[in-house]
Amino acid sequence: MSRTARLFQLMQALRSGPSPKTSVQLSQDLGVSARTIHRDIDALRGLGAVIDGEAGFGFTLIEDATLPPLGFTDDELEALVLGLREVQAIGDPGLADAAGAALRKLQGRLPPRQSHRLSHAVLAATRFSRPAKPTVDVSALRQATWDERVIAFSYADAKGDETERKVNPLSIVYMDRASVLLSWCHLRQDFRVFRLDRMQAMSVLDESFRPNQIPLLREALARLRAEREARSCEADV
């Protein structure tokens, strides 16, 4: 394999899967030594790639506008189109508009053949009924989640009983009938899921829970998987 091809494969490996990636993982993916990975990381940085991390801690690729555009296979392009159209169908207004803008930008930067393929993609996404409309500013909620800021809001459960909540927002999940917030609830001292259409008067507090978002989210998802597996086992009995 030429060095140019190896550098390209290294960029692809850094782009795919969870980060950071250690030199040992990358060397196994590419079939070279960890020392070669370190030299190639330095070479990519010299070419303008922004790669965070160091030996012993792993590496994370931060995309840079100075890098050449990434090419797509036809299947990858179909997957992007389908995903963005699904966002248009189920996302909150801000995300739906952003998905449409992303599709237009993508079409404008593709080679002519693939631009035509995007315009006439054979895959589509539609919903006969959209999820319940959120009653809070989802853009502000997303930003609070990224910034790891605590939020407060009023919440009405399925029975209509209202409580005041203060939570660490961890992830927003777009489901069939409603969009929900996965969070750590200060009131219950446990993980809780809140429907966005039952939240009211949300405010972002000047209170950070950094750097706990990632470990909290991992724990929450692990618990959800365990509960789902337990229910599946009960159904098989």
Side-chain angles (χ1 to χ4, degrees), residues 61-78:
L61 174 66
I62 302 173
E63 298 291 355
D64 192 292
T66 62
L67 295 176
L70 178 65
F72 299 104
T73 67
D74 289 341
D75 283 347
E76 289 171 341
L77 185 61
E78 292 280 5

Side-chain angles (χ1 to χ4, degrees), residues 170 182-183 191 215-225:
L170 303 177
L182 177 59
S183 66
F191 297 108
L216 281 173
L217 181 56
R218 286 176 178 166
E219 185 180 349
L221 293 175
R223 184 180 299 184
L224 288 173
R225 283 193 295 268

Side-chain angles (χ1 to χ4, degrees), residues 61-133:
L61 174 66
I62 302 173
E63 298 291 355
D64 192 292
T66 62
L67 295 176
L70 178 65
F72 299 104
T73 67
D74 289 341
D75 283 347
E76 289 171 341
L77 185 61
E78 292 280 5
L80 284 171
V81 172
L82 181 61
L84 288 169
R85 287 180 175 169
E86 176 75 358
V87 173
Q88 287 181 302
I90 69 170
D92 59 84
L95 273 186
D97 289 345
L103 274 171
R104 292 189 293 273
K105 288 181 180 179
L106 184 61
Q107 183 166 12
R109 296 180 183 180
L110 287 171
R113 185 188 68 82
Q114 286 196 319
S115 179
H116 176 79
R117 189 182 181 94
L118 187 152
S119 298
H120 303 281
V122 298
L123 302 181
T126 188
R127 295 293 179 97
F128 293 106
S129 60
R130 294 179 63 90
K133 186 177 180 179

Side-chain angles (χ1 to χ4, degrees), residues 127-165:
R127 295 293 179 97
F128 293 106
S129 60
R130 294 179 63 90
K133 186 177 180 179
T135 48
V136 293
D137 183 347
V138 185
S139 295
L141 176 57
R142 286 200 305 271
Q143 192 61 50
T145 305
W146 276 112
D147 294 341
E148 299 176 56
R149 297 274 297 276
V150 178
I151 63 169
F153 55 89
S154 299
Y155 190 74
D157 62 19
K159 298 179 181 178
D161 297 331
E162 294 189 8
T163 54
E164 298 298 319
R165 301 295 181 118

Side-chain angles (χ1 to χ4, degrees), residues 4 7-8 11-12 15 44 47-50 61 63-72 109:
T4 299
L7 290 176
F8 178 78
M11 288 287 286
Q12 294 292 76
R15 282 188 176 105
L44 288 172
L47 292 170
V50 181
L61 174 66
E63 298 291 355
D64 192 292
T66 62
L67 295 176
L70 178 65
F72 299 104
R109 296 180 183 180

